[in-house]
Amino acid sequence: MSSMLCSALRNLPVSSAWAAGAFARSLSCSSQFQAAVQAKTKKTLGKTGVKNVVVVEGVRIPFLQSGTSYADLMPHDLARAALQGLLTRTSVPRDVVDYIVYGTVIQEVKTSNVAREAALGAGFSDKTPAHTVTMACISSNQAMTTGVGMIAAGQCDVVVAGGVELMSDVPIRHSRKMRKTMLTLNRAKTLGQKLSLISKIRPDYFAPELPAVAEFSTSETMGHSADRLAAAFGISRLEQDEYALRSHTLAKKAQDEGLLQDVVPFKVPGKDTVTKDNGIRPSSMEQMGKLKPAFVKPYGTVTAANSSFLTDGASAILIMSEEKALAMGYKPKAYLRDFVYVSQDPKDQLLLGPTYATPKVLEKAGLTLGDIDVFEFHEAFAGQILANLKAMDSDWFAQNYMGRKSKVGAPPLDKFNTWGGSLSLGHPFGATGCRLVITAAHRLKKEGGQYGLVAACAAGGQGHAMIVELYPQ
């Protein structure tokens, strides 16, 4: 019966497949698939003359909905907690770390180089350099690949990368007119000059300037882009809700079964210890169907239920040259192999980064889609994920937009985000990339695969993809 169901699922229309995916995974079809993966013998992706870079360990503090337990903290507090969690789990000597790189999106003005502040707070030597990068939702991806480049180039042997975001407290500025007046007032020398400047202040000067929620180049919010993308690919509200329910259902199952091994507890000052993500909320199609469109009103299909939520969180990952890791007695989890970054039209194709990045990274690594055992894609919106899967499976899109002769194909659902994704686990913008990589490594070990593919979209119409190879067990 289970094999018949698995066969039927492959032939279901998209909308039905999403809803059935979580149920099917629990049947023996999944174990049959895992056995088939284990039976494969694949080449390693190591290259002559190129240092092997490995993941020793990766952790994250629980990802929480903004405005909850982390609301009174600052970003460096979260990043520090992730770094301390990594140190505790690995026992790596602080003075062995050559460099620290962190990704973030909305920067706290008091700690603009949050990597440095978090590192000092976590007890790293003040002689250990640290810098912060930003590349929207792929900021920690950029932090990791920066570390990979430094190790491959022989500049470092041990790098800690990570990411952090605190959406509970974003910087709100005075208006530009008020800022200009205040700066000029600071330079005024006489009382008369100061009074003259003060007299020019008007009520509208006091209107606050909030962080932009829209793309600077297009003035369109990401939610609007997701809604238009879903419409362009004919993705219904029902399909999006079903996929979101799948994400939450799988995340709850993974959480209950203790599969989310990267989560480390965090004792919040003045509060209880946080031990798990709090945004996982399996609902029902009926409840989800009651929500109104969040962006394109009244006929849009993107809602709060099928979108990732504003999230606070931080992650950290320890990467080394293979030689250094083995010399220190570590058993690495995975190799970090080929990676690519892509950019495309920031208006109509804002969220299609995985579609463009996936075939490029596969070709670079000399692999096909069928070689990949585990897929971990960032879920900004259910509509964005479904649009990417449809675009990847379209010859027409490949030929007309990507300059390719044929499609790359869509990842099969039984390999795709099977422990949940950003829709359910949360999406602290700067921290998500590290979660994707370490989850891919854990799934490869658990499911018996060899290659994982991590991909993500980012604001600005950019994207990233990386091949993760399981370290020999």
Side-chain angles (χ1 to χ4, degrees):
M1 175 181 174
S2 61
S3 61
M4 291 175 60
L5 178 56
C6 288
S7 176
L9 282 172
R10 296 187 189 100
N11 297 316
L12 282 175
V14 172
S15 60
S16 300
W18 302 128
F23 176 66
R25 182 172 173 265
S26 65
L27 299 178
S28 61
C29 170
S30 177
S31 60
Q32 291 169 9
F33 162 73
Q34 291 174 16
V37 168
Q38 290 172 336
K40 293 180 180 178
T41 300
K42 300 176 181 177
K43 64 179 181 179
T44 181
L45 298 181
K47 299 176 182 177
T48 303
V50 178
K51 278 191 175 185
N52 285 326
V53 180
V54 297
V55 173
V56 172
E57 185 60 273
V59 303
R60 61 184 177 91
I61 60 172
F63 288 176
L64 303 186
Q65 293 179 328
S66 62
T68 56
S69 294
Y70 300 157
D72 296 329
L73 303 180
M74 293 178 66
H76 75 284
D77 294 319
L78 306 189
R80 179 182 66 236
L83 289 172
Q84 289 172 332
L86 185 67
L87 290 169
T88 298
R89 181 167 289 188
T90 62
S91 299
V92 63
R94 289 172 172 83
D95 58 359
V96 169
V97 176
D98 299 311
Y99 208 98
I100 298 171
V101 194
Y102 250 73
T104 196
V105 178
I106 300 180
Q107 296 187 348
E108 162 62 53
V109 294
K110 293 181 179 179
T111 57
S112 57
N113 187 3
V114 70
R116 177 65 168 170
E117 303 304 332
L120 293 174
F124 285 90
S125 167
D126 59 10
K127 303 297 189 295
T128 304
H131 80 269
T132 302
V133 297
T134 187
M135 201 174 182
C137 300
I138 52 177
S139 292
S140 64
N141 305 67
Q142 182 59 254
M144 283 185 288
T145 57
T146 297
V148 169
M150 297 174 80
I151 293 171
Q155 297 297 311
C156 299
D157 281 318
V158 182
V159 174
V160 171
V164 62
E165 214 68 50
L166 182 69
M167 297 305 296
S168 291
D169 181 29
V170 296
I172 299 175
R173 305 193 299 179
H174 284 291
S175 67
R176 185 162 193 151
K177 290 179 180 178
M178 178 61 86
R179 298 200 306 270
K180 185 176 180 180
T181 300
M182 292 171 71
L183 290 171
T184 305
L185 186 63
N186 193 48
R187 295 192 297 268
K189 298 185 182 303
T190 67
L191 178 61
Q193 290 174 333
K194 292 179 180 180
L195 292 174
S196 176
L197 286 168
I198 291 173
S199 69
K200 295 177 182 179
I201 295 175
R202 297 293 179 266
D204 65 315
Y205 282 30
F206 293 96
E209 186 176 282
L210 302 175
V213 294
E215 293 290 306
F216 183 81
S217 58
T218 65
S219 298
E220 185 175 62
T221 67
M222 190 174 285
H224 277 86
S225 294
D227 231 323
R228 287 195 303 101
L229 192 65
F233 282 89
I235 299 165
S236 68
R237 164 76 177 270
L238 178 64
E239 288 176 303
Q240 293 174 63
D241 285 353
E242 286 176 337
Y243 182 85
L245 181 57
R246 172 188 187 269
S247 182
H248 282 275
T249 301
L250 293 177
K252 184 66 166 64
K253 185 173 186 292
Q255 188 179 68
D256 290 345
E257 294 179 358
L259 299 178
L260 306 181
Q261 304 166 43
D262 56 331
V263 179
V264 294
F266 176 27
K267 175 62 175 72
V268 180
K271 298 182 180 179
D272 294 335
T273 299
V274 180
T275 61
K276 62 182 182 179
D277 308 317
N278 72 357
I280 301 173
R281 51 184 193 283
S283 182
S284 67
M285 291 298 295
E286 291 73 22
Q287 289 296 321
M288 296 171 73
K290 294 177 182 179
L291 296 183
K292 295 181 179 180
F295 301 98
V296 179
K297 303 175 182 180
Y299 302 114
T301 57
V302 174
T303 71
N306 56 43
S307 307
S308 58
F309 48 88
L310 295 179
T311 314
D312 301 334
S315 56
I317 195 165
L318 177 62
I319 58 179
M320 297 184 182
S321 64
E322 183 180 20
E323 297 86 347
K324 184 69 172 181
L326 296 180
M328 293 186 66
Y330 288 111
K331 179 65 181 293
K333 291 180 178 292
Y335 293 107
L336 296 182
R337 297 303 195 187
D338 292 285
F339 61 88
V340 298
Y341 288 92
V342 295
S343 293
Q344 60 277 343
D345 173 17
K347 186 172 177 66
D348 292 330
Q349 299 185 27
L350 176 71
L351 303 172
L352 288 179
T355 296
Y356 283 87
T358 296
K360 288 188 175 183
V361 80
L362 288 173
E363 290 166 3
K364 191 173 182 182
L367 300 175
T368 67
L369 199 73
D371 291 319
I372 304 301
D373 306 302
V374 160
F375 294 87
E376 283 293 325
F377 278 32
H378 164 46
E379 302 169 347
F381 303 89
Q384 159 257 330
I385 280 288
L386 299 181
N388 273 275
L389 297 185
K390 286 195 173 184
M392 291 171 68
D393 206 30
S394 168
D395 284 320
W396 180 87
F397 189 87
Q399 293 162 6
N400 287 275
Y401 286 95
M402 300 177 67
R404 300 176 56 83
K405 293 181 180 179
S406 61
K407 65 187 180 183
V408 65
L413 281 183
D414 56 4
K415 299 182 183 181
F416 192 85
N417 288 13
T418 56
W419 292 359
S422 303
L423 289 172
S424 49
L425 300 172
H427 174 39
F429 302 142
T432 290
C434 289
R435 178 190 68 77
L436 296 173
V437 166
I438 197 62
T439 300
H442 286 160
R443 283 185 56 204
L444 286 171
K445 182 177 180 180
K446 176 75 173 177
E447 298 169 11
Q450 183 170 347
Y451 300 135
L453 195 157
V454 169
C457 62
Q462 302 189 98
H464 171 259
M466 174 187 281
I467 301 295
V468 178
E469 180 182 347
L470 182 69
Y471 198 81
Q473 300 301 297

Coordinates of all heavy atoms in Angstrom, one line a residue, residues 10 62 78 226 349 354 387:
R10 N 3.5 10.9 -6.8 CA 4.4 11.4 -7.8 C 3.5 12.0 -9.0 O 4.0 12.8 -9.7 CB 5.4 10.4 -8.3 CG 6.4 10.0 -7.3 CD 7.4 9.1 -7.8 NE 8.3 8.5 -6.8 CZ 8.1 7.2 -6.3 NH1 7.2 6.5 -6.8 NH2 8.9 6.8 -5.4
P62 N 17.3 29.2 19.7 CA 15.9 29.0 19.2 C 15.5 30.3 18.4 O 15.8 31.4 18.8 CB 15.1 28.8 20.5 CG 16.0 28.2 21.4 CD 17.3 28.9 21.2
L78 N 22.2 38.1 21.1 CA 21.8 36.9 20.5 C 23.0 36.2 19.8 O 23.2 35.0 19.9 CB 20.7 37.2 19.4 CG 19.4 37.9 19.9 CD1 18.4 37.9 18.7 CD2 18.8 37.3 21.1
A226 N 6.0 38.6 -4.0 CA 5.6 37.2 -3.9 C 4.2 37.0 -4.4 O 3.9 36.0 -5.1 CB 5.7 36.8 -2.4
Q349 N 11.4 39.3 -10.9 CA 12.1 38.0 -10.6 C 12.8 38.1 -9.2 O 13.8 37.4 -9.0 CB 13.0 37.6 -11.7 CG 12.3 37.3 -13.0 CD 13.3 36.8 -14.1 OE1 14.3 36.2 -13.8 NE2 13.0 37.1 -15.3
P354 N 16.8 30.8 -6.3 CA 17.1 29.4 -6.3 C 17.0 28.8 -7.7 O 17.8 27.9 -8.1 CB 16.1 28.8 -5.4 CG 15.8 29.8 -4.4 CD 15.8 31.1 -5.2
A387 N 6.7 28.9 -6.8 CA 7.0 29.5 -8.1 C 8.4 29.1 -8.6 O 8.6 28.8 -9.8 CB 7.0 31.1 -8.0

